[in-house]
Amino acid sequence: MNKYVIPLNHATIGNRLTVVKVRTEKNQELNRLKQLNIRPGSCLRILQLNKFEPLVIAVGDARIAINYNLAKSILVRSEC
């Protein structure tokens, strides 16, 4: 993967990624992501990625499942 910004659901399993932007205006989704420490500048890694199933990601020591559609709104790049 390169330095271009892509949706989280298009990233490759195992790569360390930096969150660049979250494209949702739904307060409930934004608050939930903030609680999970998924915000611009956060580092994460995809552990499991199957189309239309929840993504499993690692954020620090935590393992988190994220809805596939919500993952589309999280923009990342490959630098962490």
Side-chain angles (χ1 to χ4, degrees), residues 17-19 22 29-45 57-62 64 66 74:
L17 307 164
T18 299
V19 177
V22 178
E29 289 179 350
L30 287 170
N31 289 336
R32 181 68 177 142
L33 291 173
K34 286 179 185 177
Q35 289 173 349
L36 298 171
N37 201 27
I38 300 170
R39 61 187 91 197
S42 297
C43 292
L44 55 86
R45 187 168 41 96
I57 62 172
V59 180
D61 292 333
I64 302 165
I66 294 184
I74 301 169

Side-chain angles (χ1 to χ4, degrees), residues 6-63:
I6 60 171
L8 180 59
N9 64 313
H10 288 187
T12 305
I13 293 173
N15 286 351
R16 293 182 53 80
L17 307 164
T18 299
V19 177
V20 175
K21 183 176 182 177
V22 178
R23 293 184 308 185
T24 183
E25 295 184 13
K26 297 179 182 176
N27 285 332
Q28 185 176 4
E29 289 179 350
L30 287 170
N31 289 336
R32 181 68 177 142
L33 291 173
K34 286 179 185 177
Q35 289 173 349
L36 298 171
N37 201 27
I38 300 170
R39 61 187 91 197
S42 297
C43 292
L44 55 86
R45 187 168 41 96
I46 297 178
L47 303 176
Q48 178 181 317
L49 173 61
N50 296 311
K51 194 169 186 178
F52 304 118
E53 293 183 16
L55 280 74
V56 178
I57 62 172
V59 180
D61 292 333
R63 303 298 178 258

